[in-house]
Amino acid sequence: MAKLPETEHPVKAFGWAARDQSAHFSPFNFSRRATGERDVQVKVLYCGVCHSDLHMAKNEWGLTQFPVVPGHEITGIVTEVGSKVEKVKVGDKVGIGCMVGSCRECDQCANDLENYCSKFILTYSARYNDGTVTYGGYSDKIVADEHFVIRWPESLPLDAGAPLLCAGITTYSPLKYYGLDKPGLNIGVVGLGGLGHVAVKFAKAFGSNVTVISTSINKKKEAIERLGADSFLVSRDQEAMEAAVGTLDGIIDTVSVAHPLLPLVNLLKPHSHLIMVGAAEKPLEVPMLPLIFGRKSISGSGIGGLKETQEMVDFAAKHNIFADVEIISMDYINTAMKRLEKSDVKYRFVIDVANSLKAD
């Protein structure tokens, strides 16, 4: 007989969970495993609210194991370490991102690409090595293997920096991998939400000329004056889109709902990439002829390995990059999810877990 979430492990924990795909959150008692010899226990201080959390709470990808405690943009303080932990010590500031496990043996893991391991383990709503379900950062504490813990730079804020553990690495990694980190390149960013606004900041730090592509002219002033984008395209403005055909060296597409790809592919120079980092719940149509005749490609990219995530966080600290956030209390999460669904946030909700999560 399966044990209940609050009794399957010895360490009592408390958070907020969605019990079904209505995506309504409420208080939830569960448990965490005891700190193993290579484990780190962390008191959660802040946790970002990713659009993936909404997808998972509604089970739109068919992956969710209810009850689900989301949260994979976690920052906090180390409260306990195992006897063989070398990476961090009690009292250190740390982060935990989108994954808490991988096989550590395959070619992907050997090349610091744990995120592409076929056995990687998500921070929440996945099965851990012991067979129990993982629970994320909408909670008071978390236990993770030290390999999956990020050392936090002293100069990087724990609240506004938390979204970098998903939104940051999700946009930093493809910019690096596809060679879009060279000064002077013309880079497009589709969508100016949680991922998009961070993509603009990283691309500018790399020395790129950045064009934001959005369905709404209302975001132009924000994109250029606040975030530092060089130009702005309204994707519904056919004349402006046609004038920009063949001008971009690469595009990071952060939009997580169905949208046409052909106008974006047309913006690319030959031999360039449209890189998808937003996970739409429905399949998108792929325009073949422009890909063939321009030797262009549509690619995907998912977060990054632990080495690259640490590199990204350190780069962000050096260049003063962090998310634009709205700090919320834990009991505001249901309202936040409704607002997130309408893109009514600039640009990332972050839960002040330590000061607002109160056990019943």
Side-chain angles (χ1 to χ4, degrees):
M1 184 176 175
K3 291 186 177 180
L4 296 173
E6 59 263 43
T7 60
E8 65 184 355
H9 294 299
V11 180
K12 290 183 178 180
F14 179 71
W16 278 50
R19 265 74 171 188
D20 54 48
Q21 61 190 41
S22 68
H24 179 80
F25 287 87
S26 57
F28 177 62
N29 290 292
F30 65 107
S31 55
R32 298 287 191 187
R33 69 178 185 269
T35 305
E37 61 182 15
R38 297 198 179 277
D39 282 340
V40 176
Q41 186 181 112
V42 176
K43 177 184 178 181
V44 178
L45 298 182
Y46 297 97
C47 186
V49 179
C50 178
H51 208 282
S52 298
D53 298 347
L54 179 58
H55 284 304
M56 290 291 284
K58 296 171 72 176
N59 197 24
E60 290 180 338
W61 296 330
L63 304 173
T64 308
Q65 301 185 56
F66 292 106
V68 57
V69 177
H72 57 207
E73 300 176 344
I74 304 163
T75 56
I77 300 289
V78 176
T79 54
E80 187 177 24
V81 297
S83 59
K84 294 187 178 180
V85 169
E86 300 177 353
K87 192 174 185 178
V88 295
K89 64 183 185 303
V90 171
D92 283 356
K93 299 175 183 178
V94 296
I96 296 173
C98 299
M99 57 183 168
V100 292
S102 67
C103 79
R104 312 286 292 279
E105 296 174 347
C106 68
D107 288 345
Q108 301 305 317
C109 289
N111 286 289
D112 300 310
L113 295 168
E114 300 92 340
N115 50 313
Y116 297 117
C117 171
S118 64
K119 297 180 181 178
F120 85 103
I121 302 171
L122 293 172
T123 301
Y124 68 86
S125 203
R127 289 282 171 186
Y128 198 65
N129 298 325
D130 61 5
T132 62
V133 174
T134 58
Y135 297 111
Y138 295 13
S139 60
D140 59 352
K141 63 176 69 72
I142 189 168
V143 178
D145 184 292
E146 67 169 329
H147 183 76
F148 297 90
V149 173
I150 300 299
R151 294 183 296 272
W152 203 254
E154 191 59 40
S155 62
L156 193 62
L158 287 164
D159 50 5
L164 297 178
L165 293 162
C166 176
I169 189 60
T170 295
T171 52
Y172 178 92
S173 182
L175 288 169
K176 295 284 286 187
Y177 180 80
Y178 288 98
L180 302 178
D181 58 341
K182 311 295 189 295
L185 293 180
N186 297 313
I187 306 300
V189 175
V190 186
L192 199 62
L195 273 68
H197 88 287
V198 175
V200 171
K201 293 184 180 188
F202 278 122
K204 289 301 297 180
F206 288 137
S208 303
N209 300 307
V210 179
T211 298
V212 170
I213 305 157
S214 174
T215 58
S216 173
I217 188 65
N218 296 333
K219 293 186 176 181
K220 180 176 181 178
K221 183 177 181 180
E222 183 87 5
I224 292 176
E225 295 183 8
R226 180 175 175 79
L227 299 175
D230 300 280
S231 56
F232 189 92
L233 277 174
V234 178
S235 56
R236 294 190 176 109
D237 185 339
Q238 189 171 347
E239 186 176 334
M241 291 290 283
E242 288 177 357
V245 164
T247 61
L248 299 180
D249 295 292
I251 298 174
I252 304 292
D253 187 340
T254 71
V255 176
S256 59
V257 296
H259 60 288
L261 300 184
L262 178 59
L264 303 176
V265 171
N266 288 340
L267 297 177
L268 291 170
K269 296 177 182 179
H271 326 296
S272 299
H273 305 277
L274 168 61
I275 306 154
M276 311 299 294
V277 298
E281 72 275 14
K282 295 179 181 178
L284 306 180
E285 289 189 14
V286 177
M288 295 309 301
L289 287 180
L291 300 183
I292 293 168
F293 290 123
R295 197 161 69 175
K296 303 175 184 180
S297 71
I298 300 174
S299 307
S301 182
I303 57 170
L306 275 298
K307 180 179 179 181
E308 188 175 45
T309 302
Q310 186 69 61
E311 173 191 301
M312 177 275 303
V313 166
D314 293 340
F315 181 91
K318 180 178 179 181
H319 294 272
N320 200 32
I321 295 172
F322 43 83
D324 291 12
V325 302
E326 179 178 335
I327 304 297
I328 63 171
S329 61
M330 187 71 254
D331 61 7
Y332 188 78
I333 189 62
N334 288 307
T335 302
M337 288 295 184
K338 290 184 175 68
R339 287 179 56 191
L340 181 59
E341 199 162 21
K342 297 184 290 186
S343 300
D344 178 24
V345 57
K346 289 184 178 178
Y347 284 96
R348 201 66 147 192
F349 290 118
V350 172
I351 305 166
D352 183 354
V353 175
N355 289 315
S356 69
L357 180 62
K358 308 299 182 185
D360 289 346

